[in-house]
Amino acid sequence: MTWHVLGAGSLGGLWAARLARAGLPVCLLLRDQRRLAQYLASGGLTLEQDGHTETFALPAQTLDDAAPIHRLLLATKAYDAVPAAAALSSRLSAGAEVILLQNGLGSQDEVAACLPQARCIFASSTEGAFRREDFRVVFAGEGHTWLGTAPPSPAPAWLDELALAGIPASWTGDILGRLWRKLALNCAINPLTVLHSCRNGGLQTHAEEVAALCAELVELLIACDQGDAAVDLQAEVERVIAATAANYSSMYQDVAAGRRTEIAYLLGHACREAARHRLELPRLQALALRLRAHLAARGLPQD
Ligand code: NAP
C-alpha cells in the first residue's frame, strides 16, 4: 500500500526518504501545480544523513488529484493540519489510516473531527530534521517516534514497514500521556527562551521561574487526568535544560527567523485546558500574555 505523505517539509521529507530507501511505495502530496513544478525541477527529494546525500525521484501529486488514499502521513505544522486534511477528505477511503505528526495537542482532535471516515493515529517524535532548501532535508537528530490512538487500539501491521525503513517507532497505549508530557516540557522551556532571548541553558539563571511554571503544569496535568505525565516533571525539565544547554529551542528559532510559531497548540492549549477545568494558573496565563505581546511586537501571529 502506498504511503501518501502530505507535507514534504522537514519531518515529512525525512519519513518519505527513509520509506522510499527501503523500497516501499511513497507518493508526495503537494499543495498546487506551482509547488509540483518546483519539485519536479528540483529532481526529487534529497536527504542528507551522516555526511551522505541521496536524492529520491518520488512520484508526487497535487492535493486535488483524484486517486484514492488509504494511508496518509500528515506532516504539516499544527496550524496547517486541518485545512490540509479537509482538502484531502474526499480522497480518503473508508477506514483509511492517517498518521498525525503534529507537535502539541488540539490539532489531532480537529483533524479527526473533519475526517470521520478515517482512523487517526497520533504521533509524538523526538527526531530532529530541518530543510536546507525546498525538497532538501537534513536529518539533524536521532530520536524515537511513539504512535497510538485515543482511546487505545491494537497496533497496525505496517509498524514492520517502519522497522524495515529504519524509522525507530513504537506503539503505545498512552499516546496522550506522551503528547501531554512533551507539551508540558515545551511550556516550561520554550516560551522563556524566547522572552529571555537565550539558549536553553540560559534558563539555569531563571530556576525559580521555571520551578513555579512546573508546579502549575503539574496541577494542570493532574486536572486533565494525566497524572503519569506529571511525575517528576520539574526534574526532567531541569535535565533537559542541562542536556540541551547550548541549543536554541524550536520556538526561539521560529521567532528569530520570523516564522509563525505553534503556540496555539502548546502554551495556548495548556491555557485553554486550564480554563476548561476552572483552574487558576497565574504564572502560565501571564506567560501566555507576555509571549503573545512579544510575538505581536514582531509582527508575528499570536495563535
Ligand atoms: P515544515 O518543515 O515547515 O514542513 C511542513 C510542510 O507542510 C511544508 O512542506 C509545507 O509545504 C507543507 N504544507 C502545509 N500545508 C500544506 C498543504 N495544504 N498542502 C501541502 N503541503 C502543505 O514543518 P516540520 O518541521 O516538518 O514540522 C511538522 C510537524 O512536526 C510540526 O508540528 C512540528 O512541531 C513537528 N515536529 C518537527 C520536528 C522537526 O525536527 N522538524 C521534530 C518533532 C516534531 P510548503 O513547503 O509548500 O510550505
Side-chain angles (χ1 to χ4, degrees), residues 21 25 41 65 104 118 123 126 164 167 213 229:
R21 193 170 54 196
D65 194 285
T126 58
L164 186 71
I167 299 174
L213 275 177

Side-chain angles (χ1 to χ4, degrees), residues 229-240:
V231 174
D232 294 334
L233 178 67
Q234 186 182 331
E236 189 176 354
V237 165
E238 288 166 357
R239 263 200 309 278
V240 170

Side-chain angles (χ1 to χ4, degrees), residues 60-222:
Q61 304 170 342
T62 53
L63 296 191
D64 60 3
D65 194 285
I69 295 172
H70 307 290
R71 186 184 296 157
L72 173 67
L73 184 70
L74 189 64
T76 65
K77 289 280 172 57
Y79 47 76
D80 282 329
V82 165
L88 278 186
S89 175
S90 62
R91 295 182 57 185
L92 287 174
S93 61
E97 291 180 295
V98 181
I99 301 151
L100 305 172
L101 279 182
Q102 288 65 45
N103 204 359
L105 276 160
S107 69
Q108 298 88 347
D109 286 341
E110 292 171 7
V111 170
C114 92
L115 300 178
Q117 75 275 42
R119 178 189 192 211
C120 286
I121 292 159
F122 301 1
S124 179
S125 181
T126 58
E127 292 194 306
F130 65 89
R131 259 191 287 190
R132 195 177 297 291
E133 57 193 50
D134 278 354
F135 310 115
R136 190 180 184 99
V137 172
V138 181
F139 190 1
E142 290 190 9
H144 196 87
T145 302
W146 296 93
L147 299 154
T149 59
S153 60
W158 48 254
L159 275 192
D160 291 346
E161 296 191 8
L162 302 188
L164 186 71
I167 299 174
S170 311
W171 191 253
T172 171
D174 185 22
I175 189 66
L176 287 181
R178 295 259 167 203
L179 285 161
W180 265 112
R181 178 73 167 198
K182 193 166 180 224
L183 181 148
L185 289 164
N186 183 296
C187 288
I189 297 173
N190 293 27
L192 287 179
T193 63
V194 173
L195 293 169
H196 292 300
S197 192
C198 65
R199 295 173 198 263
N200 290 356
L203 297 185
Q204 283 163 332
T205 55
H206 300 280
E208 277 180 28
E209 204 176 2
V210 172
L213 275 177
C214 288
E216 290 194 356
L217 287 162
V218 165
E219 259 191 80
L220 174 64
L221 290 168
I222 290 168

